[in-house]
């Protein structure tokens, strides 16, 4: 299992003001995924995440569903060169 996968995920829809960043933080921490999540000025949420294939795939699956108050209209996923993070954090 390769542990050198990094993705940039952009989530669009009603994803700000609904606990999305905390949902991403809790999900990433529970799966052992590292990186960060932050709100973007256009109303989307950006996530940079790194980890093993299996954990990243599970993370993406949960992010696609989002927290209960979110309403996701679109998700964009881009593979990036591997980047190592110490933990997963919310950036402001």
């Amino acid at each position: 299992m390769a542990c050198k996968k990094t993705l940039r995920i952009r989530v669009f829809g009603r994803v700000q003001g609904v606990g999305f960043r905390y949902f991403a933080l809790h999900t990433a921490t529970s799966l052992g995924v590292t990186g960060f999540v932050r709100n973007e000025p256009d109303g989307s949420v950006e996530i940079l995440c790194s980890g093993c294939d299996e954990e990243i795939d599970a993370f993406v699956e949960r992010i696609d569903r989002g927290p209960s108050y979110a309403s996701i209209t679109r998700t964009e996923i881009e593979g990036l060169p591997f980047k190592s993070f110490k933990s997963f954090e919310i950036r402001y």
Side-chain angles (χ1 to χ4, degrees), residues 11 14-27 45 47 61-72:
V11 187
R14 191 178 71 220
V15 293
Q16 290 190 11
V18 294
F20 201 97
R21 290 174 300 167
Y22 296 95
F23 172 80
L25 173 66
H26 174 75
T27 303
V45 170
I47 302 168
E61 187 179 302
R62 293 185 196 175
I63 288 299
D64 274 342
R65 282 185 255 135
S68 56
Y69 292 108
S71 177
I72 298 168

Side-chain angles (χ1 to χ4, degrees), residues 2-54:
C3 286
K4 294 204 180 291
K5 188 174 193 175
T6 298
L7 298 179
R8 177 178 186 248
I9 306 169
R10 294 277 310 272
V11 187
F12 298 87
R14 191 178 71 220
V15 293
Q16 290 190 11
V18 294
F20 201 97
R21 290 174 300 167
Y22 296 95
F23 172 80
L25 173 66
H26 174 75
T27 303
T29 303
S30 71
L31 292 169
V33 170
T34 61
F36 66 86
V37 59
R38 67 179 167 205
N39 285 342
E40 290 294 306
D42 67 359
S44 68
V45 170
E46 179 187 45
I47 302 168
L48 247 63
C49 57
S50 292
C52 300
D53 288 344
E54 195 173 293

